[in-house]
Amino acid sequence: MSEFEKAAAGGGGFLGDLWELLRREKKWWLIPLVIVLLAVAGLMALASTAAAPFIYTLF
């Protein structure tokens, strides 16, 4: 089994890979950016639900 196949079999998913990148490369400044982007994506997802009137009152 090649090294590439071993790495591919390890899995971890997107969040696992992101955490490994942040930890290995010491890119701690990216964590607040990722949190803000996830929060905006969550608000966009909730904007099309019954929770939309409650979200709009925040702004």
Side-chain angles (χ1 to χ4, degrees), residues 8-44:
F14 176 73
L15 292 178
D17 289 343
L18 180 62
W19 176 251
E20 280 298 315
L21 172 78
L22 295 175
R23 194 173 59 108
R24 185 182 56 232
E25 301 293 329
K26 307 283 191 270
K27 303 284 185 182
W28 302 117
W29 57 271
L30 282 174
I31 292 175
L33 181 66
V34 169
I35 291 171
V36 167
L37 287 175
L38 289 174
V40 169
L43 285 174
M44 288 174 59

